[in-house]
Structure formats: structure tokens, C-alpha cells
Amino acid sequence: FILESAEALALIAADPRNAEVIRPYRNGRDIAQRPRGVFLIDFGVRTETEASTYPTLYDIVRTRVKPSRDAVRDKSSRERWWQFARARPELREALHGLARFICTVETARHRYFIFHDGAIAPDHSTLALPVDDAFVLGVLSSWIHTVWALAAGSKLGIDGTPRYNKGACFEAFPFPDASASTRGHIAALAEKLDAHRVAAIGRDARVTMTAMYHVVEKLRAGVALSPSERVVHDLAAGSVLRDLHDEIDAAVAEAYGWSWPEPAALVLERLVVLHDARVEQEKQGSVRWLRPEFQSARVGTATAAPEGLAPPDDESDGGAPAVATAVPLPWPGDAIGQITTLRAMAGANPLSVDDAMRRFSGARRDIVHRHLETLALLGEVRTTTDGRYAIATGVV
């Protein structure tokens, strides 16, 4: 299905209708490094008869794809050889009509989000979020969201590269209820951030997203830059990029009503409490839609709250946004994180060992019980008459 740039452009020049199914294609490396400039023949969910109305492209796919599809075990893939193995109609519907959408690399050392042009076909190594709102891009680009994503996401490989899991990292994340003016301020900063990075990458081939965020990481840590990193810093105005993120962090903290800066452990504790509160609200039918005009028409059974967000619920493809649910969170890897999170949960609602086990994936029952008992011995929580743990009177 993949076409080199020259072939794709020649096919479009030969028949302008081919532009309807030839799309720019981006994978995770294209985002992290530099785009390869490749395209994709994408018949989407068209029938074979419909695909054959683009005769040159149909013949290319029949020649290059069908022989390998004839040999696969999956009957559906053999019979629908002109379509991708997974056509993802829900994602297509959610992206339809959007001039741009948010995307991130699924597995990456640095967590950043970008706007993709609506014409781009995203690869499975990326996570496509069907949202064009710069406010959402700003919140996702904040350190507050990064703290959540690092805690909730998984790790890949022996070096433990962070993986952005859509269910736990995005769907379960509680966006702030921001005022119109605060939303506008965050959106303006996000637009500025996006424009800055696009301009920097277009300025010189040595500038990439990975290289820029290596520089930002070192600037924040106060570590000296290498000669090559100094070049990227100068070409991309790395200090300005860092400052933009600092501004976004402060603005998003303000949207939550928090002072800034705050320790990562406290940020995570607050987000967990807010997540649990949102889940309870949604059980009562109060849903903060991500895209009200799209979601309410599809779901239509819950009352939309006037502000805030509710993310999509299809883990596999970033598809149609719907009502958010309580997604089990990964068990923190260190004891401090485990105890802090359990204390926060007990502060929101009385908590039993069974409750905690249901809310986490990967937790050991004996450790959960021991942590709760430790909090009780320290006077941080009290034991209720039904054997649950609740925040102790006077403890905030």
C-alpha cells in the first residue's frame, strides 16, 4: 500500500481523482525524527467495486498486496485484500471532517503531542486522538499530564521506554474544568508551541522532535549541552521551547486551581482523587464531553456538563469518543508512590483492600493491606466499622 513520494505524485498528476485515496503516511519515526515523505493507497471501507473505479491504484494493490494476502490464514484479510487488515471505521468516522487531529508516538522517551494535518494517515505506532482543539493539545503537553502518563502507562524493552496506553493514560485522565478565558489562554500557548516546533523542524534537517526534547530535558536538569545539542538549541531556540512548556505548565495548573510548581507525587495524588470523583459523577450521568457535537449525537444518554472533557473509549484505535469509564491504573513501582496513591484514594472515599485491588492492575494484595495498615498506624487513615480505611479526622 505504501508509495514513494515521486510515484504518488505522478499517480495524482496522471489522474487527479487518485488524490481521493492517496494519503500522506506517518509512523512514529516520522514524528520523532523526520518524515520520510511516503504516501499510502487507502481505499478505506470502500467495496471492491468502488475501489476498482480507481483502476491504476486498484491494479497496483492487486499486484503488490493480493499475492501475500492470498497466503494468510485470516479469511477476512484474504477476501478484503484491497483494504487494510484493520480498516478501523470508528477512527475514520471520528476523524472525518477534522482539518487536524492530535497525535503522539506510542512508545517514546519524551512525551509530546503534535497536530497532524487531517489528510495524514496515522500508523499503528502512533496514537491518533480525534480532537482539533488546541486547549486539549495544551493540557496534554503539560508536565501535569506527563506525570499521569508516566505513572499510568507501561514500559517497553529492557530500558523501560515509556509507552502511552490510551485507556489508562488518556481515557482515565481527568482534564481540568477551565474557565473560558483560561481555556483560551492555554489554547493560544499550545498554538504557539506547535508553530514553534514546526518552524524549527523546517529550518534545518538536524532539528527533530527527539533532538529538541533532548535539549529541553538537559536545560531543565541544568546539564551542559554537547556540541551537536548546542547546534539544535541554537537552530530551534531550545530555551524558548522550554519557556513555552513552563508557561503551559503554569496555565494548566491554574486551570486545576493549583499553585505551581508542585512535586510530582502531589500532582499524581490530586489527579487520582479527581479521577475517582469524575467516575462517580459519570455514574450519575454528568459527562464532560471531549467533542460535544460529535459525542452527544452518538451516545445521547447522559447529560453533558458545560465544561471539561471526557475521552474516547476504544483502546484499539482512538475511535469514536464515548463515556469514560474507570480504567484500572498500573500499580506504582515504588513504595512511596503506592502509599501516596492509597492515601489519596482513602481521602476521596473509604477504601477496602478489595476496592484497591479492583482499581489497580499489578498490585499484590499483601502489600496493599500492609500499606493501608501502615497508614492507620501513622494516624493518616482510620479503620471504619465495616473494615474500610478512611482519611483520619483532621488529616487533609
Side-chain angles (χ1 to χ4, degrees):
F1 295 100
I2 297 177
L3 303 172
E4 294 297 327
S5 177
E7 183 180 18
L9 296 176
L11 287 166
I12 293 172
D15 185 350
R17 284 189 65 249
N18 288 338
E20 297 171 6
V21 291
I22 294 179
R23 305 174 61 191
Y25 179 49
R26 299 286 187 274
N27 63 16
R29 187 173 180 82
D30 292 323
I31 297 173
Q33 299 300 323
R34 298 190 73 80
R36 295 164 293 165
V38 298
F39 290 76
L40 202 63
I41 297 176
D42 180 10
F43 289 123
V45 295
R46 291 175 175 85
T47 65
E48 184 176 2
T49 299
E50 291 169 333
S52 67
T53 63
Y54 305 88
T56 306
L57 304 185
Y58 174 82
D59 200 48
I60 288 173
V61 173
R62 182 170 57 183
T63 301
R64 301 178 188 177
V65 177
K66 189 174 185 298
S68 61
R69 285 290 186 87
D70 287 340
V72 301
R73 293 175 124 185
D74 182 65
K75 180 181 178 182
S76 178
S77 292
R78 289 198 310 272
E79 293 179 345
R80 294 185 297 102
W81 54 266
W82 66 94
Q83 295 180 0
F84 301 155
R86 296 179 62 195
R88 298 186 171 181
E90 296 86 1
L91 177 60
R92 293 176 185 276
E93 181 184 4
L95 292 174
H96 180 71
L98 293 181
R100 63 185 184 180
F101 60 93
I102 296 172
C103 197
T104 190
V105 181
E106 188 175 52
T107 304
R109 173 180 169 183
H110 304 292
R111 181 54 50 203
Y112 47 79
F113 297 80
I114 66 168
F115 274 131
H116 258 338
D117 185 276
I120 289 175
D123 181 76
H124 69 277
S125 62
T126 68
L127 189 69
L129 305 175
V131 190
D132 60 359
D133 188 352
F135 166 74
V136 178
L137 180 71
V139 174
L140 294 177
S141 299
S142 70
W143 174 240
I144 288 172
H145 180 68
T146 300
V147 168
W148 174 276
L150 289 174
S154 59
K155 309 278 187 191
L156 190 68
I158 57 175
D159 59 347
T161 304
R163 188 170 187 268
Y164 194 84
N165 306 106
K166 181 171 155 295
C169 296
F170 180 69
E171 292 179 3
F173 178 70
F175 281 78
D177 279 332
S179 66
S181 61
T182 300
R183 289 177 68 96
H185 179 49
I186 293 172
L189 288 172
E191 295 281 15
K192 193 174 180 180
L193 172 70
D194 193 59
H196 180 97
R197 296 180 304 196
V198 169
I201 289 172
R203 201 170 291 137
D204 191 281
R206 289 168 289 184
V207 179
T208 66
M209 292 292 286
T210 296
M212 283 191 287
Y213 281 95
H214 275 326
V215 168
V216 170
E217 181 181 62
K218 283 197 168 183
L219 290 174
R220 284 182 160 170
V223 177
L225 301 178
S226 68
S228 61
E229 289 166 343
R230 173 54 62 182
V231 170
V232 171
H233 174 277
D234 294 343
L235 289 167
S239 295
V240 174
L241 179 60
R242 177 202 58 196
D243 294 345
L244 280 170
H245 274 287
D246 289 346
E247 288 185 68
I248 288 173
D249 293 344
V252 173
E254 180 183 351
Y256 281 103
W258 303 343
S259 58
W260 194 254
E262 295 285 10
L266 179 58
V267 169
L268 184 58
E269 178 181 340
R270 288 172 170 172
L271 289 172
V272 169
V273 172
L274 184 56
H275 165 270
D276 289 352
R278 293 285 176 80
V279 170
E280 292 302 315
Q281 292 169 8
E282 288 169 5
K283 288 178 182 177
Q284 304 303 315
S286 179
V287 181
R288 292 164 172 79
W289 298 116
L290 181 66
R291 289 171 57 194
E293 75 291 346
F294 178 81
Q295 293 171 278
S296 58
R298 289 175 56 86
V299 181
T301 55
T303 303
E307 294 181 346
L309 303 164
D313 76 340
D314 183 349
E315 171 66 35
S316 64
D317 63 355
V323 178
T325 56
V327 179
L329 298 173
W331 182 235
D334 61 289
I336 293 176
Q338 295 163 6
I339 293 171
T340 298
T341 304
L342 288 170
R343 181 188 182 280
M345 287 184 167
N349 289 294
L351 181 77
S352 69
V353 175
D354 288 336
D355 292 334
M357 292 299 294
R358 282 191 293 270
R359 295 191 190 188
F360 289 104
S361 61
R364 281 177 46 187
R365 186 181 183 85
D366 59 328
I367 293 179
V368 169
H369 183 253
R370 187 174 71 207
H371 286 338
L372 288 170
E373 284 295 300
T374 298
L375 287 168
L377 287 171
L378 293 172
E380 294 287 314
V381 302
R382 58 184 174 82
T383 307
T384 63
T385 55
D386 60 356
R388 296 174 184 270
Y389 298 85
I391 202 73
T393 303
V395 175
V396 295

